[in-house]
Amino acid sequence: MAEALHNREADDRLIDERISIILRAGMVISAIVIAIGGLLYLLRHGGPVPDYRVFHGIAAPLTSVTGIVHSALQGSSAAIIQMGLLLLIATPVARVLFSVIAFWMERDFLYVVISGLVLLVLLYSLLVHGA
Amino acid sequence: MNTVEFTAILGAGSLLAGFLGALTGLGGGVVIVPLLTLAFGVDIHYAIGASLVSVIATSSGSAAAYVKEGFSNIRIGMFLEIATTLGALCGAFLATRTPTAAIAIIFGLVLLYSAAMSNRKRHDHLAQQPDPLANALRMNSSYPVDGEAVHYGVRRVPLGFGIMFGAGTLSGLLGIGSGAVKVLAMDEAMQIPFKVSTTTSNFMIGVTAAASAGVYLSRGYIDPTLAMPVTLGVLAGSLLGARYLVQARTHILRIVFAVVIAFLGVEMIYNGFTGRL
């Protein structure tokens, strides 16, 4: 029993370390993409500041995952920034997905269900509304 | 002013917000919306969108460090994330239906609350009778204090879960991490040691914010040209802040920042009532 408990804590430490790597990598990669898009944007659009005072809502294609990926590949600087922001949003989602897998490997099925529920809510928001 | 100047000024302001937020533990996200709306005249919906993504960036950045040190409790975090993500979805839908003036006033009240909470004395309750639900969910754990593992039990799980739903709703409605409300749930209701509650809260903020991000994105709240300087600025500022945290005398700084936040809160409420936002 004590040994089983010890193993669980050791497993949890390993999960902690991997989660740490996922979060750091996601943060660094998205920051680089945002910075590249930002530089391109400033080089190409040096003129007057857009009007942010009245809310119109950002127009498509920058409001959906597929639209953003499509126009980022065509080199649109705003879409490249948006792509970086998407990677940023995807980082915690990847962390939750990893947790589901890690709890499964630990045979901790209660937490597979718990983290699975969280993943479902996230996917609902991103795929049903953001797709 | 051209876009380069605008981006530079906004980036510098966000950097300062992130730096002070990390030093004082109040988070930089909470001042981004007042900064954008009051100082730059940005519509509150765009401000909330930019703030939300910057909150995800700082959460990932700081959580990466804390998780590794073994302070955060991923089981408590994961369980409570059910409540915060569902709340965040509700909050994001509410944001699309709530009048601007009401959002500004609620925001102001949350700022005042955060300021009041920030200088509160925190004390840990250890060695106590845990909630049977906490046992069933295997939430009780230990954390390192001076190299030794100190065990703690978790209490009043349902109450904490309920408050977390509220924290998630505020996060989705206002585009903030609502760390102050999360800490209320974990410190006061569940009586988790504050080192664990603070770091677990940080860890949860990113997932909570990601739950409302899909709704924000599809409604056009996330403007890349605003979110770029805000996110990079807050992120750089909070990483710098975390680095200086050890040397800095944070006590006076906390009071100063709390006063600034309270002032911004009053300003948001005033502008909400007079309809200037």
Side-chain angles (χ1 to χ4, degrees), chain A residues 85-99:
Chain A
L85 299 175
L86 272 186
L87 291 172
L88 201 60
I89 296 166
T91 303
V93 184
R95 189 267 278 176
V96 175
L97 176 67
F98 170 78
S99 304

Side-chain angles (χ1 to χ4, degrees), chain A residues 8 12-13 16 20 27 41 45-47 49 52-53 55-58 63 82 88 95 99 106 108 111 125 129, chain B residues 1-3 41 43 46 61 64 67-68 70 75 81 93 137-138 203 207 211 214 217-218 220 222-225:
Chain A
R8 162 159 294 144
D12 277 3
R13 293 295 303 137
D16 285 352
S20 171
M27 180 191 72
Y41 166 75
H45 308 268
V49 180
Y52 300 114
R53 275 173 302 180
F55 181 72
H56 303 293
I58 295 305
T63 53
Q82 207 77 329
L88 201 60
R95 189 267 278 176
S99 304
E106 266 193 50
D108 187 342
Y111 273 86
S125 169
H129 292 278
Chain B
M1 190 160 46
N2 65 31
T3 51
D43 178 89
Y46 290 133
V67 170
K68 205 167 175 218
R75 281 169 213 271
E81 276 165 6
F93 284 120
L137 290 165
R138 290 192 289 269
F203 173 73
V207 166
L217 187 73
S218 66
I222 300 177
D223 184 320
T225 59

Side-chain angles (χ1 to χ4, degrees), chain A residues 92 95, chain B residues 55-56 58-59 81 171 176-179 182 198 200-210:
Chain A
R95 189 267 278 176
Chain B
V55 159
I56 300 178
T58 42
S59 167
E81 276 165 6
S171 169
I176 57 174
S178 57
K182 288 191 169 80
T198 312
T200 306
S201 157
N202 256 320
F203 173 73
M204 295 169 60
I205 282 170
V207 166
T208 309

Side-chain angles (χ1 to χ4, degrees), chain B residues 7-21:
Chain B
T7 303
I9 296 171
L10 189 53
S14 306
L15 189 120
L16 187 65
F19 184 72
L20 290 175

Side-chain angles (χ1 to χ4, degrees), chain B residues 155-173:
Chain B
R155 303 191 61 204
R156 291 184 292 207
V157 175
L159 178 63
F161 193 83
I163 302 175
M164 279 297 174
F165 181 84
T169 308
L170 284 177
S171 169
L173 178 64

